[in-house]
Amino acid sequence: MTEKRKCVFAGSFDPPTLGHKTLVETALQMFDEVVVAVMVNPLKTPYFTTEERKEMLALDMGDPRVKIIDFEGTVAELLKRENTKIYLRGIRNGVDLDFENANFYASRKLDPELTAVYLPCPQELLHVSSSIVRNSLHFKTPIDEYVSEKVKAYIEKRTPTKEN
């Protein structure tokens, strides 16, 4: 029996965007399982709760090969817990690459076997980010081109708990 290929895609997903959805769909072409981890940083106050972010991800990730979790700790600890060395990251531009490389080398000091897999963002989604969605929500402008219809409907039903 061959070993199952598994990767971890971690982030804040505040909220999940079409870019996140597309990245997971691409990863499912290469991996048997994708663990999508909502990272909890006690030093940050997210716009959406951890549970809300997990619920929105579940709306977009209908494939049974996607496991959605939350995690507070380092990426190295998360990969160890999930029994994989493969850390999936999306790259939109050179700024993302610089940021991801810095994080990769810091994480590699904690786990020398960690392997990062960088996937480029589709050109039509280069402008999409969770920050843009939060700004759009704050200024009450459309979010249609940034999130899926399911996530948009979820957000529209929710009353924001805070303004960022």
Side-chain angles (χ1 to χ4, degrees), residues 17-27 61 119 122 124-125:
T17 68
L18 290 172
H20 298 131
K21 183 179 191 302
T22 301
L23 187 72
V24 171
E25 289 168 350
T26 302
M61 315 293 167
L119 293 179
E124 66 274 11
L125 297 176

Side-chain angles (χ1 to χ4, degrees), residues 17-85:
T17 68
L18 290 172
H20 298 131
K21 183 179 191 302
T22 301
L23 187 72
V24 171
E25 289 168 350
T26 302
L28 287 170
Q29 296 173 31
M30 298 181 286
F31 297 96
D32 302 310
E33 181 179 3
V34 177
V35 177
V36 179
V38 175
M39 299 301 275
V40 178
N41 183 342
L43 302 177
K44 290 186 177 180
T45 305
Y47 192 90
F48 295 95
T49 68
T50 301
E51 284 309 309
E52 287 172 328
R53 290 179 278 158
K54 287 170 56 180
E55 288 171 7
M56 287 185 278
L57 284 163
L59 291 171
D60 270 352
M61 315 293 167
D63 193 299
R65 298 176 299 152
V66 177
K67 176 176 149 184
I68 300 167
I69 63 169
D70 59 87
F71 190 78
E72 184 177 334
T74 68
V75 168
E77 292 168 326
L78 173 59
L79 292 170
K80 183 176 182 178
R81 187 183 92 176
E82 290 299 324
N83 195 31
T84 184
K85 298 292 181 189

Side-chain angles (χ1 to χ4, degrees), residues 8 10 13 26 48 56 78 88 99 117 119 125 133 144 162:
V8 168
F13 306 107
T26 302
F48 295 95
M56 287 185 278
L78 173 59
L88 181 70
F99 177 81
V117 173
L119 293 179
L125 297 176
V133 177
D144 306 73
K162 63 182 68 58

